[in-house]
Amino acid sequence: MDLFALPPVAAVLGGAYHALMGLSHLLEPALGAGAAAAAVVVVTLAVRAALIPVGVSQARAERTRVRLAPRIAELQRRHRKDPEALQRATMQLYADEGTTPLAGCLPMLLQAPVVGVIYAVFVHAQIAGQANALLGHTLFGVPLGTSVVGALSAGVPDVATAAVLGLLVLAVALVGELTRRATLPGGLLAVPAAGAPAGAPGMRRALGALQFVTAVVACVVPLAAGLYLLVTVAWTLVQRILLRRRFPLDADAAG
C-alpha cells in the first residue's frame, strides 16, 4: 500500500510539488536550466530552518540526559535487585528535574511527516496523477531523475553524468566522515564519558558506519533526492556543532 496514494496525503504531496515547481519557475529567469535544482536546495534549507526548534529541543534533552547519567547510574547500582524500585526512583528523578526520559523524542517524531512529504516530491515519478516534471529538469545537463544505479545499469554514463553524480556522492560521504570524526572522543560532538553508555566504543563505531549509509542511499535515489540528502546532512552537522556550543555537555555533566 502506497501511503502517498491516500487522498489526504496525496493532496499534501501535490501541494508541496506545485509549490516547488512554482519556485522553480520564479528562479528560472535568473538561473536558467539550474532553477529546478536550486529550488530543491532552497526548499530543503527552508524546511531545515523551520525545524530548528526541533534541534534545540533535542540538544536540551541530550544535555539533560548527560547531566543525569551519573545519578541514574547510582540508582541502578542501588536498586539493581529491585527493578520496580529502580523504575519508581528513576521516574521521580526525572519528575524532580521537570523532564521525562522521552524529552526530545516527540518533536523528532513530529518532524517526520514534513520531511517525508518533501522527500517524496524528489523520488516519486508521478504526483497527483501526472509525471513529476521536476525529475525532467537538469543540473549541468544531468536530469534530476537520474541515479547512480540507474546510470550504471544503462551502460557507461557520459562524462557529465559521472561527474555530477560522483561529486554528489563524494560530498555526502565527506560530510559523513566529518560527522564521524566529530563524534570521536575529543570531537565537537563527543559525549562526555560520564554520560556515555557502557558500550560507547562499539556504539561509536556503529554510528560512524551509519554516517555513510546516506552516501549509499544517494547512489540509489534520483539526483533531486541526492541534493536534498546532501543539504540535509551538511545542515544537520553544522547545526549540531552550533547547538553543542550553545548547550555544552561538559559543563552540565560536571555541575
Side-chain angles (χ1 to χ4, degrees):
M1 178 181 179
D2 183 6
L3 176 64
F4 292 98
L6 298 176
V9 182
V12 174
L13 180 61
Y17 167 72
H18 289 300
L20 176 63
M21 294 307 297
L23 177 60
S24 175
H25 293 319
L26 288 176
L27 296 175
E28 192 168 356
L31 300 176
V40 170
V41 173
V42 170
V43 168
T44 305
L45 290 173
V47 170
R48 300 320 305 182
L51 294 174
I52 286 177
V54 175
V56 172
S57 175
Q58 291 174 309
R60 285 174 172 166
E62 184 179 20
R63 182 172 65 169
T64 298
R65 286 193 297 269
V66 170
R67 179 168 56 84
L68 295 181
R71 296 166 66 181
I72 292 177
E74 173 59 24
L75 291 176
Q76 292 172 338
R77 185 194 62 78
R78 187 184 307 167
H79 301 291
R80 59 181 178 274
K81 296 183 179 179
D82 191 343
E84 292 185 2
L86 173 60
Q87 183 179 11
R88 289 194 301 270
T90 301
M91 296 309 297
Q92 185 60 50
L93 173 61
Y94 278 106
D96 292 343
E97 294 291 332
T99 185
T100 71
L102 299 179
C105 294
L106 181 58
M108 183 172 61
L109 292 176
L110 291 177
Q111 75 170 322
V114 177
V115 174
V117 168
I118 297 300
Y119 183 73
V121 173
F122 304 142
V123 298
H124 276 60
Q126 285 196 331
I127 296 178
Q130 61 184 10
N132 186 346
L134 171 69
L135 302 182
H137 288 264
T138 62
L139 175 63
F140 300 116
V142 181
L144 295 180
T146 307
S147 68
V148 173
V149 172
L152 292 176
S153 64
V156 179
D158 57 67
V159 174
T161 300
V164 171
L165 295 179
L167 287 174
L168 174 71
V169 174
L170 181 62
V172 173
L174 177 60
V175 176
E177 174 62 14
L178 292 175
T179 302
R180 184 190 70 82
R181 294 190 180 193
T183 59
L184 293 174
L188 293 172
L189 299 177
V191 177
M203 183 175 294
R204 279 196 298 269
R205 286 193 293 270
L207 291 175
L210 286 175
Q211 303 300 335
F212 297 99
V213 172
T214 307
V216 176
V217 173
C219 293
V220 179
V221 298
L223 175 57
L227 288 173
Y228 165 82
L229 291 175
L230 174 58
V231 175
T232 296
V233 294
W235 176 288
T236 301
L237 174 59
V238 173
Q239 177 178 279
R240 288 182 64 190
I241 290 174
L242 294 177
L243 287 177
R244 181 59 57 83
R245 291 175 176 174
R246 174 64 179 84
F247 302 102
L249 302 183
D250 289 321
D252 285 291

